[in-house]
Amino acid sequence: MQPHPNVQAVQRALDDAGARDGSGGPSQVRLLPEAVHTAAAAAEALGVRVGAIANSLVFDADDAPLLVLTSGAHRVDTAGLAASLGVTHLRRATPEFVKRHTGQVIGGVAPVGHPQPLRTLVDTALAAYDEVWAAGGVPQAVFPTTYAELLRLTSGTPTEVA
């Protein structure tokens, strides 16, 4: 069975960038038996701490997409983040906004594999983990990587988001 096109796009982006996991091997998208729509569910399925899950949250920042990769142990402080970014409105994006800008659905948004690069912030709390797990383009797909790799792969900005 051929993987979903979103999973293929994410794996292609990882391969093209030479992405690495926590052990230094190539990052490979893995399909879980069931969809994982929360960091807690992903952590349980993978047998890792919830903080090692890199949630991909898309926000509408004054009508522009903003991808925030946050530790599963955190909630984004939208008011503080908006103030630090100098945006008037920072709110969770609608499913339609997310799909339009990422090509992916909420619950499966990967840090990579989008039609166009997105402005990305990476939660500094993820640096505490040797390996972190991110969504792979659909809700049952994930891939291992590192904090440093997330920064490199996304051209992300290290940011305290909680």
Side-chain angles (χ1 to χ4, degrees):
M1 184 171 130
Q2 189 78 332
H4 189 282
N6 287 353
V7 173
Q8 291 177 8
V10 170
Q11 188 62 63
R12 191 168 36 258
L14 294 172
D15 292 346
D16 290 350
R20 297 288 179 221
D21 64 19
S23 66
S27 282
Q28 295 291 319
V29 176
R30 300 180 191 174
L31 293 178
L32 300 172
E34 296 180 23
V36 288
H37 292 283
T38 66
E44 185 176 332
L46 294 164
V48 300
R49 293 177 49 200
V50 72
I53 302 299
N55 279 336
S56 297
L57 305 175
V58 178
F59 290 89
D60 179 338
D62 290 342
D63 301 319
L66 174 69
L67 177 60
V68 178
L69 303 176
T70 185
S71 167
H74 286 159
R75 294 188 67 77
V76 174
D77 173 7
T78 54
L81 197 54
S84 71
L85 294 172
V87 296
T88 306
H89 301 286
L90 182 69
R91 58 188 165 268
R92 285 280 212 142
T94 65
E96 297 79 20
F97 186 94
V98 171
K99 179 84 167 160
R100 181 170 65 251
H101 291 286
T102 68
Q104 302 164 358
V105 297
I106 292 174
V109 174
V112 297
H114 312 132
Q116 301 294 320
L118 299 177
R119 180 179 184 190
T120 303
L121 306 179
V122 183
D123 188 351
T124 55
L126 291 167
Y129 301 93
D130 293 334
E131 186 166 73
V132 297
W133 290 83
V138 296
Q140 67 271 24
V142 294
F143 69 91
T145 190
T146 66
Y147 173 72
E149 281 290 88
L150 281 177
L151 289 170
R152 183 179 74 82
L153 295 169
T154 64
S155 298
T157 302
T159 307
E160 289 185 28
V161 301

